[in-house]
Amino acid sequence: MDGFYGRILKVDLSEETYSIEPIRDEILEKYLGGKGLASYLLYELNPPGVDPLDPANCLIFATGPVTGSAIWGSCRYGVFTKSPQTGFYSESYAGGKVPEAIDSTGFDVIVIQGQSAVPTVLGIHPEGVDFHEAGDIWGMDTFKAEDAVYERFGHSDAGFKRSGAVVIGPAGENLVRFAVIENDYWRSAGRTGVGAVMGSKRIKAVVFQGDRKRSLYDGNAVRAFSKKISLEGKDNPGAKAYKSMGTTMMVKIVNDAGAFPTRYWSEGKCEHWEKINADALHERCQVTPRACLKCFLACGRMTTVLQGRHAGLKLEGPEYETIYAFGGLCLIDSIEEIAYLNDICDRLGMDTISAGNLCAFAIEAARRGKIDYKIDYGDVDAIAELLKKIANPPNPTLAKGGRGDFEDIGDILARGIKFAAREWDLEDIAVHVKGLEPPGYDPRVLKGMGLGYATSDRGACHLRATFYKAELSGMIDPDVIEGKAELFMDFEDRLTLFDALILCRFYRDLYPWEQLKEIIHSVTGLDVDQKTLQEKAGAISDIVRRFNLREGMKPEDERLPKSLHRKLEKTGDIITEQELDHMLKDYYSLRGWNESGQLTS
Ligand code: SF4
């Protein structure tokens, strides 16, 4: 079928073997590629109930049918596994330049199982896999590891045109439950701990090389479509805003709405927002827009800090979510200091959203006398120190899942919010769903985000439906409950298909249903209307839900944490349990599931 290679690569690290297998067209037609195909394989191949850090847990890399084409926003890959952070389904995506190298290996999906006997760098190319011992790279931070991997394995004797690497940092090696996989220095598959799964397999890096291209059903139509979109994009206000401000524009928008999580989720407005917003970043630092391949939005911010103790620090970022996590939750009132904490997380290989949440949680624990540890709101140096302790917990046996005294704060936080909340008897205030901390949109103001956090398969996630867009742009009143699930599902279905193609969701305004149909037809040849596309999205949602139910997901795993049902301080905004129940009931019914969110067939 056009748009696909029709090949899966399966790697067994324990045996140092691999196989190349075909994929049936009917599976591709039903699930498309990317998230759809990877989720189907995760369901089929993962042993039910497997420990996420067990060698048998699959670590799946996927690109999509649009990868490598001229479609804008198409340079992305996804990672799929069972999450060590939540114990449920895990997906995480990243852009940059490397996704085209992954795709050039000529596989729709790469499934990695087993565990290497020694630290290893995998080399993947169209003919198969090379296993390189790499003990001396183990222990390096992500940037050094990337440099070392390119220097040693980046050339190609076979003359392949493309080459790209993904790496983990010390956090992934030490099985920190929210460790990331990084590429292009600053691009991360950031959520749900995919880096810890890679670390548990003793894979420090994967180098992808190749020269394969997907065959397109109608290459001329793809090129014409891209030309049309780039012309439309020129005058699109959203596109212009991404280019001029990146995601940092959200600081003002969300703070104005009163939904900017502040002081560990107790307030929705941040007093120092003007010191950490888009203007602060662009006026105080040297910033240039930076784009993934095949992108004219260029939301990335290549930043150089110009003033103060971090002058000279260069990074891509900080993005909105990092600003909220450290600037809002931890009350850091300087954009340069947030950039500094961002850089530490990048080098150690940790998700900044979870890291910021956990630091603020530790601050609350210290203030409430639950731990004897010197840290407080706004204390950058203590937070920086804590990040290093988390990434390098002193007792690796405990990090792997062993029991013990857990006297060290790094050991405790490395195992995630659920574990820390139990250890410190603070479950009453811990903010997470399924073990994943939410991003920077308070659901007491943006109530549809509450539905998204509760029902997202990977835990409290903003990206599956990006419903903040609907609620902040006036498409629907954020406070309304009636009828909200219907619009939410429309967003979620369309973006599920984005993930099956693996498209950047910041193109969502430029690719409504009609454009999505055009993309799918020109790439794969499938004649689809909106209804059949919604059915495909539904089939993908079903297989992921089937996976989570098999892994023990209960109705209580799709609730908001208690503290998000308490009033926001100062404004009194609230989302009640009844409001959430109402939206959940509507949503499950629209999905064709029963009142507990279970599949009926
Ligand atoms: S909008 Fe941002 S994340 Fe999306 S493709 Fe462009 S640069 Fe990458």
Side-chain angles (χ1 to χ4, degrees), residues 395-407:
N395 195 335
T397 315
L398 299 181
K400 282 192 179 86
R403 294 297 316 167
D405 287 338
F406 284 98
E407 283 174 355

Side-chain angles (χ1 to χ4, degrees), residues 73 76 187 290-292 295 297-300 504 506-507:
R76 294 183 77 71
R187 292 278 162 179
R290 187 173 157 104
C292 303
C295 174
L297 298 182
C299 78
C504 173
F506 292 161
Y507 281 82

Side-chain angles (χ1 to χ4, degrees), residues 554-601:
K554 304 266 181 326
E556 53 267 32
D557 294 310
E558 298 209 300
R559 309 294 311 176
L560 291 176
K562 277 186 219 156
S563 59
L564 292 186
H565 286 304
R566 294 185 199 115
K567 284 182 182 168
L568 265 172
E569 287 174 22
K570 297 184 183 166
T571 56
D573 291 302
I574 188 166
I575 178 169
T576 64
E577 299 215 29
Q578 292 71 25
E579 287 174 323
L580 180 65
D581 281 339
H582 190 120
M583 291 190 289
L584 274 175
K585 197 163 161 252
D586 289 354
Y587 175 75
Y588 290 155
S589 158
L590 288 163
R591 281 255 168 258
W593 301 334
N594 72 15
E595 288 213 349
S596 309
Q598 290 170 325
L599 285 97
T600 49
S601 60

